């Protein structure tokens, strides 16, 4: 399918404004650009409470923000890990999609921060993410959450960290997860599937940019073979929770996502893969600029509703 016309117009506008590919920017510039995604978002949903607190990470406290709808009964919980190439992103730029998810899915969304590269290379981010998950499970009852109904979710590099965190939870035997939601995750640091060439340029995130993000994140080339950096390298994926995988047609990483979905299915994990024609990386955050971003949001809400049924 042709590129979605709204997305095409958005890309043309950004190009006219002089947007460069991320690998051509400094780390500070990358962070500034990714924070600007909040300008492409819809108005924020009202919730009963939003609580800012911290969880104890391996290298000190890290921020966590809890989005809490009104409820008379304990609510299911989604631990959400933001994207940004492990280099950028924040709780602020993802506030609108997190609020919308909490309101529409009737869940507590616990959005967690983590140490960013290149100041903090692998394995800092996955260590923080796993510590955050454990903190949420141990403490969410104090905020009206049901610690027996917890899912992990992330987009892009956050999708990578969500997949890694689900692996670690399986490997250590806890916490138990009801589901994982992987929104166009960056899943394999060594992959070079056809989509790397087909979508190398012209769709917001270039192949060169994906390579640059990996370079900022990994401490050594060998780290790309570690399943806690590249989940596709795990010897086994059996025993992982039911999975929703959202993938866009014009993604550099499209084929590695689809391949991970196939791997999960082959090893007995219930998997729902949704491939969105005409869309590009990043649209989950573009709720005010790209109307079809609502399709991804609706798929997440529907999937979680099924997984959280008691």
């Amino acid at each position: 399918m042709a590129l979605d016309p709204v997305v095409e117009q958005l890309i043309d506008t950004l190009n006219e404004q002089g947007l460069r590919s991320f690998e051509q920017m400094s780390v500070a510039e990358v962070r500034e650009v990714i924070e600007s995604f909040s300008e492409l978002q819809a108005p924020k949903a009202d919730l009963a409470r939003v609580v800012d607190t911290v969880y104890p990470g391996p290298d000190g406290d890290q921020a966590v923000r809890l989005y809490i709808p009104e409820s008379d009964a304990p609510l299911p919980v989604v631990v959400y890990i933001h994207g940004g190439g492990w280099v950028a992103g924040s709780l602020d730029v993802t506030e609108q999609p997190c609020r919308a998810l909490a309101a529409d899915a009737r869940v507590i969304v616990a959005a967690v921060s983590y140490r960013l590269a290149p100041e903090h290379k692998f394995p800092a981010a996955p260590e923080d993410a796993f510590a955050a998950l454990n903190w949420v499970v141990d403490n969410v009852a104090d905020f009206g959450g049901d610690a027996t109904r917890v899912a992990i979710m992330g987009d892009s590099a956050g999708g990578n960290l969500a997949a890694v965190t689900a692996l670690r939870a399986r490997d250590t035997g806890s916490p138990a997860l009801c589901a994982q939601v992987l929104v166009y995750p960056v899943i394999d640091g060594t992959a070079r599937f056809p989509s790397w060439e087909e979508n190398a340029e012209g769709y917001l995130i270039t192949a060169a940019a994906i390579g640059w993000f990996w370079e900022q994140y990994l401490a050594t080339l060998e780290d790309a073979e570690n399943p806690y950096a590249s989940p596709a390298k795990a010897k086994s994926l059996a025993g992982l929770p039911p999975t929703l995988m959202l993938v866009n047609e014009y993604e550099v990483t499209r084929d590695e996502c689809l391949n991970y979905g196939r791997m999960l299915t082959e090893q007995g994990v219930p998997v729902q893969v949704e491939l969105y024609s005409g869309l590009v990386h990043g649209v989950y955050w573009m709720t005010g600029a790209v109307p079809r971003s609502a399709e991804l949001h609706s798929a997440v809400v529907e999937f979680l509703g099924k997984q959280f049924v008691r």
Side-chain angles (χ1 to χ4, degrees), residues 20-151:
R20 293 171 291 149
S21 187
F22 287 115
E23 79 279 2
Q24 299 170 3
M25 302 181 193
S26 68
V27 169
E29 288 173 324
V30 169
R31 290 172 178 167
E32 182 178 355
V33 168
I34 288 180
E35 287 300 305
S36 73
F37 271 72
S38 60
E39 300 171 9
L40 303 176
Q41 294 173 358
K44 297 174 183 177
D46 291 329
L47 294 170
R49 285 193 295 160
V50 177
V51 178
D52 280 296
T53 184
V54 297
Y55 70 89
D59 191 38
D61 289 347
Q62 297 290 330
V64 55
R65 184 171 295 167
L66 299 150
Y67 300 93
I68 308 171
E70 190 69 52
S71 179
D72 295 327
L75 289 166
V77 182
V78 177
V79 177
Y80 172 80
I81 308 173
H82 68 76
W86 306 282
V87 169
S90 70
L91 302 187
D92 290 337
V93 73
T94 57
E95 177 154 346
Q96 189 278 331
C98 286
R99 279 178 173 266
L101 181 60
D104 294 343
R106 303 296 302 162
V107 299
I108 292 176
V109 175
V112 302
S113 63
Y114 52 91
R115 287 171 288 171
L116 298 177
E119 296 90 344
H120 303 282
K121 299 267 190 180
F122 175 83
E127 287 177 347
D128 286 352
F130 190 57
L133 171 63
N134 280 280
W135 181 90
V136 170
V137 170
D138 291 343
N139 292 276
V140 75
D142 296 339
F143 302 94
D146 180 355
T148 68
R149 291 185 291 166
V150 177

Side-chain angles (χ1 to χ4, degrees), residues 7-286:
V7 172
E8 184 174 20
Q9 183 178 11
L10 176 61
I11 292 174
D12 288 344
T13 299
L14 292 172
N15 288 336
E16 290 170 3
Q17 293 173 350
L19 180 67
R20 293 171 291 149
S21 187
F22 287 115
E23 79 279 2
Q24 299 170 3
M25 302 181 193
S26 68
V27 169
E29 288 173 324
V30 169
R31 290 172 178 167
E32 182 178 355
V33 168
I34 288 180
E35 287 300 305
S36 73
F37 271 72
S38 60
E39 300 171 9
L40 303 176
Q41 294 173 358
K44 297 174 183 177
D46 291 329
L47 294 170
R49 285 193 295 160
V50 177
V51 178
D52 280 296
T53 184
V54 297
Y55 70 89
D59 191 38
D61 289 347
Q62 297 290 330
V64 55
R65 184 171 295 167
L66 299 150
Y67 300 93
I68 308 171
E70 190 69 52
S71 179
D72 295 327
L75 289 166
V77 182
V78 177
V79 177
Y80 172 80
I81 308 173
H82 68 76
W86 306 282
V87 169
S90 70
L91 302 187
D92 290 337
V93 73
T94 57
E95 177 154 346
Q96 189 278 331
C98 286
R99 279 178 173 266
L101 181 60
D104 294 343
R106 303 296 302 162
V107 299
I108 292 176
V109 175
V112 302
S113 63
Y114 52 91
R115 287 171 288 171
L116 298 177
E119 296 90 344
H120 303 282
K121 299 267 190 180
F122 175 83
E127 287 177 347
D128 286 352
F130 190 57
L133 171 63
N134 280 280
W135 181 90
V136 170
V137 170
D138 291 343
N139 292 276
V140 75
D142 296 339
F143 302 94
D146 180 355
T148 68
R149 291 185 291 166
V150 177
I152 191 85
M153 175 180 174
D155 61 278
S156 192
N160 169 285
L161 293 172
V164 166
T165 303
L167 274 175
R168 293 187 71 157
R170 182 207 63 180
D171 293 347
T172 60
S174 67
L177 292 171
C178 291
Q180 62 174 344
V181 177
L182 310 179
V183 182
Y184 39 76
V186 183
I187 213 74
D188 187 343
T190 66
R192 293 298 182 270
F193 288 98
S195 58
W196 268 77
E197 294 185 4
E198 294 173 12
N199 301 327
E201 295 184 357
Y203 304 111
L204 288 184
I205 307 292
T206 66
I210 296 290
W212 181 83
F213 281 121
W214 277 110
E215 289 172 4
Q216 306 312 302
Y217 177 50
L218 299 179
T220 68
L221 292 176
E222 290 73 22
D223 286 338
E225 300 290 339
N226 189 319
Y228 291 162
S230 299
K233 299 298 183 182
K235 293 181 179 179
S236 172
L237 301 175
L240 287 171
T243 302
L244 174 65
M245 175 88 72
L246 305 184
V247 191
N248 295 317
E249 179 182 9
Y250 293 104
E251 299 244 22
V252 174
T253 57
R254 179 196 66 207
D255 292 347
E256 68 192 66
C257 292
L258 296 176
N259 182 64
Y260 194 62
R262 286 190 292 268
M263 292 171 64
L264 288 164
T265 299
E266 290 168 358
Q267 297 188 47
V269 179
V271 180
Q272 177 182 336
V273 176
E274 300 290 343
L275 175 61
Y276 296 93
S277 59
L279 296 184
V280 300
H281 197 86
V283 295
Y284 185 74
W285 289 5
M286 302 177 189

